[in-house]
Amino acid sequence: MVSTHPLVEARDLTKVYPARGSTPEFRAVDGIDFALERGESFGLLGPNGAGKSTTMRMIAATSPISGGSLRVLGMDPMKQGPEIRARLGVVTQDDHLDNELTVRENLHIYGRYFGLPRAVIRERATRLLDFAQLQEKAGDQVETLSGGMRRRLTIARSLINEPDILLLDEPTTGLDPQARHILWDRLFQLKQQGVTLILTTHYMDEAEQLCDRLVVVDHGRIVAQGSPQELIHRYATREVLELRFRLDERDTAAEKLRTSVLATGGTDAEGRVELLPDRVLVYTADGEAALATVHAMSLTPLTALVRRATLEDVFLKLTGRSLIE
Amino acid sequence: MLRVFRYWVTLYRRTWRGSIVINVLNPLLFLIGIGAGLGALVDDNAPAQIAGVSYAAFFAPGMLAAAAMQNAFLEGSAGVARAAGFGAYRSATPTPLRPEQLAAGHLLFITFRVLIASGAFIVVMAAFGLIGGWWALGALLGATLTGVAFAAPAAAWAVGVRKLRHIDTVFRFVIMPLYMFSGTFFAVSQLPEWIRPVSYLLPLWHGVELCRTLSLGTATITGSSVHIAYLLTLAIGGFLVARVTYRRRLHP
């Protein structure tokens, strides 16, 4: 059946957690709109507390919406939660695997929660263990797995019902670089197979690798959306100059830079100096030229690095804050 | 609900041997230590106070009910809070299962556990000649009902508990006093008169009375009906509240 409806459609979607005791009311998601088409890979990008996970939970039909409208697979999550969940795969931030059970038992139990027949689970489990490169671990207790293996098992588990959409909440947070790359490779393979992915991340490289389209959220609102390249093009400069100064020099240097031509000249996206706790960023079309200007101001940075602009810079530009605080 | 129950049974299959040993050893120690040891002292000095039966015969069904309460409370509170915080409920939440089904499946499993533990207790009682015949079956059901009457409200509360030490506090200040004032170790009629009406309101007293009268063969239809109605109300009420609290915690 080919459907022309978006897989997920949110209009003015809002989530308010009511006040409880001394905790005041909290608007976690404050009126967001988006639509997700089949086969697309969609990323929610933002710092901790921006409302990403809450949005994911509403899509996953495990958190009732407070306002606006939300359709998932053409259904209403408030009324058809179990039907929606039957067709989703969810990878939560924490693995929530059963440490006392074996790798295969974890898949089996999960499949049973979906009401799948044992024979179907057995066949799929073998295939998924293959996919997750965990064949040799099938009989081992989950307790003995490394962080990367646990993550791969969680993803394998989420695929047991052959979901229409796979939701991943910060899939590689806390993994070492090698484990992250293996995981990205697996996710990319899924994407190639046409699985629709929705993921949240605060890693820019992850978003650039896996997402066709990004929504940048902050304080429960969408501040920008587009493909990774569009966002970089629109909100950042071509190059970024990163400067580090000696501690006793840092404040005066920063002040000088802030009032210099580097901060005030150029077009809108250009000519911006961003002060971070450990370094100063200069957004510019030409990093080398900017560095020459810095030297001409008789500033002597400890290190100077010219690099290509990334989504991290987009986020900084949009919110004035870095993603990982 | 049965899928959730199956999950808990799968976990239990790994530990059932150890848990059966504990289920048998526990009553054995109590019946030898208190039933025979303390019982000798009581039987020699104050036989009239406890309805004219041996202290062991009096104490054993009381302990049966109290042990059912304790097992059920711990499973229903710490077990549930752990499952809700980082355990089984978390992994089951994104699946088609509804929070109400998680509550029902887990409570069914706790019922099964209490049934097994109480069964082991009664077997030990029978070995001491403290119970026999069809009455034993009645006491088994009575003890299981007592357990469920504690497990369901405990689960309804514990699913929202984020700090496990709160459970210790409730155990110390609610469950332990219940042991003392519900006629487990001595008849409520031995307490000062003004405190007795309080005892009659305590859920464990109803559990103890139900198990004791069934075990001693002195149960009456009216008495037992009151106890059963009281305990059933707690069990059903607890489950109805749990349906709401489970959803609140798992689908925030």
Side-chain angles (χ1 to χ4, degrees), chain A residues 15 17 20 57 60-64 81-82 85-86 88 90 92 95-98 100-102 105 109-110 112-115 118 141 157, chain B residues 3-4 6-8 10-11 13-15 85-99 101-102 162 247-248 250-252:
Chain A
K15 179 73 189 188
Y17 292 107
R20 235 193 211 175
R57 275 202 291 272
T62 55
S63 177
R85 292 198 294 276
L88 299 181
V90 176
T92 48
D95 294 320
H96 301 308
L97 292 165
D98 222 300
E100 292 163 58
L101 299 180
T102 66
E105 280 173 327
I109 288 279
Y110 205 70
R112 294 296 297 155
Y113 285 164
F114 282 84
R118 283 163 220 284
Q141 253 176 268
R157 188 179 66 170
Chain B
R3 291 178 209 155
V4 180
R6 276 305 305 258
Y7 160 78
W8 290 103
T10 307
L11 270 193
R13 281 212 302 243
R14 302 194 158 260
T15 54
F86 40 84
Y89 295 172
R90 291 288 150 192
S91 64
T93 301
T95 71
L97 296 172
R98 286 176 282 114
Q101 292 173 305
L102 295 182
R162 286 175 164 80
R247 185 161 278 275
R248 193 180 297 157
L250 300 176
H251 286 188

Side-chain angles (χ1 to χ4, degrees), chain B residues 5-69:
Chain B
F5 176 71
R6 276 305 305 258
Y7 160 78
W8 290 103
V9 171
T10 307
L11 270 193
Y12 182 63
R13 281 212 302 243
R14 302 194 158 260
T15 54
W16 70 273
R17 283 182 197 87
S19 103
I20 293 272
V21 170
I22 291 169
N23 288 341
V24 172
L25 267 184
N26 226 12
L28 204 59
L29 292 175
F30 266 106
L31 290 181
I32 293 173
I34 296 186
L38 183 64
L41 193 66
V42 175
D43 291 339
D44 289 349
N45 293 294
Q49 302 287 345
I50 46 172
V53 298
S54 76
Y55 183 69
F58 173 86
F59 161 74
M63 193 62 214
L64 169 69
M69 165 188 78

Side-chain angles (χ1 to χ4, degrees), chain B residues 109-166:
Chain B
F109 174 71
I110 296 173
T111 308
F112 166 73
R113 284 289 303 270
V114 173
L115 187 78
I116 289 186
S118 303
F121 201 118
I122 287 172
V123 167
V124 175
M125 278 170 73
F128 279 83
L130 298 174
I131 197 169
W134 288 106
W135 293 109
L137 188 64
L140 175 64
L141 296 177
T144 307
L145 177 60
T146 305
V148 181
F150 280 90
W157 163 70
V159 74
V161 169
R162 286 175 164 80
K163 290 184 180 124
L164 287 176
R165 67 185 154 77
H166 291 172

